[in-house]
């Protein structure tokens, strides 16, 4: 699959000056579990990239953790070449979700963040999943190295556009 994706990317040149970053540089995820049981997740979207609002999902582990409603900031509507009329985020996105229940004795939880985004250069990344271990009252936790995936691996083969 990575070879097919790489050949597609080579066949579709990016506009002059547009950069297509590796997924872990294009989308940075961090989070914090406050003393009040509120999770704050920050998604930092690199310039020239965007996240799809409807592809943003959160779940938690271990079994027995219950999350409340997700609160997202206002998004921007665009006509996307891949998915039609969609809502997106650029820049920094701050999402909030309450932890309604933690299993007895749990020191924290693993927040699973799922998302998908694209580069303005016309390249979309495959859906991604990143995990954050959050402990109540601890400083913000960042994903330091996401799980490898075919898009990340394929994009690392290309130098940034000049």
């Amino acid at each position: 699959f990575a070879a097919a994706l790489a050949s597609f990317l080579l066949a579709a040149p990016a506009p002059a000056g547009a950069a297509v970053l590796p997924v872990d540089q294009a989308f940075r995820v961090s989070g914090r579990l406050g003393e009040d049981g509120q999770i704050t997740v920050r998604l930092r979207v690199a310039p020239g990239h965007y996240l799809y609002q409807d592809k943003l999902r959160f779940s938690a582990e271990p079994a027995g953790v219950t999350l409340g409603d997700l609160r997202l900031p206002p998004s921007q509507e665009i006509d996307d070449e891949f998915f039609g009329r969609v809502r997106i985020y650029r820049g920094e996105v701050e999402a909030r979700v309450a932890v309604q229940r933690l299993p007895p004795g749990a020191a924290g939880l693993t927040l699973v963040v799922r998302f998908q985004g694209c580069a303005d250069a016309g390249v979309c990344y495959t859906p991604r999943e990143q995990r954050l271990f959050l402990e109540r009252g601890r400083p913000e936790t960042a994903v330091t190295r996401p799980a490898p995936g075919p898009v990340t691996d394929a994009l690392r083969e290309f130098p940034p556009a000049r």
Side-chain angles (χ1 to χ4, degrees):
F1 175 77
L5 178 61
S7 65
F8 166 75
L9 292 173
L10 286 173
V20 177
L21 299 172
V23 70
D24 58 331
Q25 292 176 25
F27 311 104
R28 298 185 185 272
V29 180
S30 63
R32 182 173 186 281
L33 174 58
E35 291 291 345
D36 61 356
Q38 291 288 318
I39 297 173
T40 302
V41 178
R42 292 186 210 294
L43 298 113
R44 292 170 182 90
V45 181
H49 294 74
Y50 57 92
L51 281 176
Y52 293 108
Q53 182 186 43
D54 68 339
K55 307 289 187 202
L56 194 53
R57 301 276 187 275
F58 298 92
S59 60
E61 299 170 349
V65 174
T66 305
L67 298 179
D69 291 333
L70 175 63
R71 289 178 294 171
L72 294 169
S75 57
Q76 171 188 357
E77 187 172 8
I78 66 165
D79 190 16
D80 184 79
E81 66 182 293
F82 300 100
F83 297 109
R85 299 292 295 169
V86 294
R87 301 202 69 82
I88 63 161
Y89 292 111
R90 293 183 182 273
E92 185 169 307
V93 179
E94 187 174 286
R96 294 185 182 271
V97 64
V99 176
Q100 293 180 332
R101 189 169 78 79
L102 272 175
L109 60 93
T110 298
L111 185 69
V112 182
V113 182
R114 292 177 185 86
F115 61 89
Q116 184 176 11
C118 295
D120 290 333
V123 175
C124 277
Y125 299 85
T126 58
R128 300 297 295 182
E129 179 177 286
Q130 295 185 343
R131 296 174 183 285
L132 301 169
F133 181 72
L134 306 176
E135 290 184 277
R136 194 178 301 257
R138 296 284 188 171
E140 193 165 311
T141 301
V143 173
T144 55
R145 184 141 175 90
V151 170
T152 302
D153 298 341
L155 291 177
R156 285 194 176 139
E157 297 172 9
F158 301 103
R162 298 184 204 272

